[in-house]
Amino acid sequence: MFIDAHNHLDFFEEQEKLNKALDIIKNDNIITLGCSMDTKSYKFTKSLALKNKNIIPCFGIHPSRAHENFKNLECFDEYIRESKIIGEIGLDYVWVKEKEKYPHMKRVFTYFLEEAKKYNKITNIHTKGAESEIYNYIKKYELKTPIIHWYSGDKDTLKKLLDYGCYFTISVDIGYSKLSKEIVQLLPIDKILTETDGPTSLEWVNGDYGYPNVIKNVVKEISKIKNIQEEEVKGVIENNFKTLIRKEGITL
Ligand SMILES: [Zn+2]
């Protein structure tokens, strides 16, 4: 099986494209963490998961939506409790430009961290431009084995996150980005996971619409960088994911 440890299924907006993506997830056996942006997106992904056992719906409020979701945080408790993995959560000081949104972003993020600690949840974290701050939060809240989504920060913080025990999802810019290549070179293979991050991420990289089978290309590029056979890389990533969830008592 392939592991897509960070996707957004609600980004497949047209029914035809969504159906195609769901078929690929099923036929190519891609275990998919369906991250959410907000409650609406979580409920949508949850409904898809009822018909596709490869989909694991994850509840979170994306940092870019925090300013619309900072009131009545306690309403999120039931979704956090039922989610096997929490995400997408995090901080973003690069794409979110309006500084007045930052206090809301921080409030929502820390609420999720408190909850993740309380319920011992794995987290799927967005760290753009906030890498070392997030490392400090991870330590402060003693988070269970976080998954760091599409890391693009400095190497010192990468090392600290790695020493803490984090896993890292390599995304669709692998093969295109020099930084992502260096990150794969630095990471031990047993801490690597793969992701596609919805159809629009590949579009951002090379203009192509990113169906879930682009995960195969991510595996291929990692295999080239690590100089390990593709099949072996696929097996190791599957094993990494299974080790992570087993350690946290999650069954699929
Ligand atoms: Zn995402």
Side-chain angles (χ1 to χ4, degrees):
M1 63 177 58
F2 289 96
I3 304 296
D4 188 350
H6 189 111
N7 200 339
H8 293 273
L9 299 173
D10 55 318
F11 289 7
F12 293 90
E13 284 178 339
E14 292 162 47
Q15 191 62 46
E16 206 178 315
K17 288 178 172 168
L18 176 65
N19 289 345
K20 185 173 167 185
L22 294 173
D23 283 347
I24 291 170
I25 287 171
K26 204 176 267 181
N27 298 333
D28 290 347
N29 203 13
I30 306 171
I31 298 296
T32 301
L33 300 190
C35 289
S36 52
M37 301 295 288
D38 54 21
T39 309
K40 187 176 167 220
S41 127
Y42 171 63
K43 286 181 176 169
F44 177 75
T45 308
K46 210 171 121 177
S47 73
L48 298 177
L50 293 174
K51 287 172 270 171
N52 193 322
K53 65 175 180 47
N54 284 345
I55 298 170
I56 303 168
C58 306
F59 178 63
I61 301 290
H62 192 279
S64 68
R65 299 278 173 85
H67 64 289
E68 298 161 350
N69 290 282
F70 65 93
K71 292 175 189 158
N72 303 321
L73 291 172
E74 60 285 356
C75 297
F76 297 146
D77 183 79
E78 63 169 298
Y79 305 128
I80 293 172
R81 248 182 307 135
E82 71 182 16
S83 276
K84 289 179 174 170
I85 296 173
I86 302 302
E88 178 168 0
I89 57 169
L91 299 172
D92 188 323
Y93 300 135
V94 176
W95 303 117
V96 180
K97 308 239 181 269
E98 304 85 355
K99 291 202 168 51
E100 63 274 18
K101 291 181 179 170
Y102 295 174
H104 304 315
M105 213 160 69
K106 222 173 266 196
R107 178 66 200 107
V108 172
F109 183 51
T110 51
Y111 173 77
F112 273 88
L113 297 183
E114 284 159 22
E115 293 278 288
K117 182 177 161 80
K118 184 160 96 188
Y119 297 120
N120 273 327
K121 300 282 183 179
I122 298 174
T123 43
N124 205 311
I125 309 182
H126 177 115
T127 62
K128 196 79 186 170
E131 292 83 4
S132 64
E133 186 179 346
I134 285 180
Y135 168 67
N136 289 331
Y137 275 125
I138 287 173
K139 272 198 312 185
K140 181 179 170 192
Y141 287 91
E142 301 166 319
L143 289 191
K144 286 251 170 182
T145 346
I147 300 172
I148 306 294
H149 150 63
W150 203 337
Y151 185 85
S152 61
D154 66 275
K155 311 269 167 58
D156 284 347
T157 309
L158 176 80
K159 174 87 172 51
K160 286 181 194 163
L161 291 164
L162 192 58
D163 289 345
Y164 183 89
C166 296
Y167 284 76
F168 293 80
T169 46
I170 302 305
S171 198
V172 294
D173 67 339
I174 195 70
Y176 299 90
S177 153
K178 187 170 162 274
L179 176 63
S180 293
K181 182 180 178 179
E182 288 168 4
I183 287 169
V184 171
Q185 283 166 336
L186 286 170
L187 290 175
I189 190 82
D190 66 345
K191 288 295 178 184
I192 292 180
L193 297 170
T194 43
E195 63 157 66
T196 62
D197 199 24
T200 49
S201 290
L202 185 66
E203 248 177 349
W204 177 74
V205 171
N206 72 0
D208 292 345
Y209 194 79
Y211 284 105
N213 52 355
V214 74
I215 206 76
K216 295 178 185 177
N217 192 54
V218 177
V219 170
K220 188 161 110 192
E221 293 298 326
I222 295 171
S223 122
K224 281 198 244 169
I225 296 166
K226 290 292 197 193
N227 202 17
I228 304 171
Q229 292 281 327
E230 236 173 287
E231 258 321 288
E232 195 183 332
V233 171
K234 182 185 169 189
V236 170
I237 289 167
E238 177 182 339
N239 198 42
N240 293 346
F241 184 70
K242 286 182 172 165
T243 305
L244 165 67
I245 62 167
R246 203 183 304 122
K247 205 158 63 176
E248 308 308 342
I250 297 173
T251 47
L252 293 177

